[in-house]
Amino acid sequence: MNVTFRLASEELEKKFIKASEEEGFVGLKGHRSVGGLRASIYNAAPYESVKALTDFMSHFQKTNG
């Protein structure tokens, strides 16, 4: 499953991508012609990986919201 989402501005999305890559998350940049963000969470993704991503997203929201 791909979870697609947008943030309040493209500038904030770029900051999110940079911060996520610094934390070891890759491939969160959305479609090249549509933009936005995308997290691929397939059945094979371990719970711990999804939890790590949601923890990162919560922290990013609290510090950049």
Side-chain angles (χ1 to χ4, degrees):
M1 169 170 71
N2 284 317
V3 179
T4 59
F5 55 101
R6 300 298 304 246
L7 300 182
S9 68
E10 285 188 34
E11 180 180 309
L12 193 56
E13 289 177 358
K14 289 176 185 177
K15 186 175 182 179
F16 179 90
I17 291 167
K18 182 178 183 205
S20 66
E21 288 174 348
E22 289 172 357
E23 293 295 320
F25 298 104
V26 295
L28 292 175
K29 188 174 181 182
H31 193 274
R32 66 181 171 265
S33 64
V34 182
L37 302 158
R38 173 186 67 202
S40 295
I41 305 171
Y42 293 99
N43 291 339
Y47 172 81
E48 294 79 16
S49 297
V50 177
K51 176 78 169 114
L53 176 59
T54 59
D55 288 348
F56 166 77
M57 293 172 79
S58 293
H59 177 73
F60 186 87
Q61 180 183 25
K62 287 175 187 171
T63 57
N64 295 279

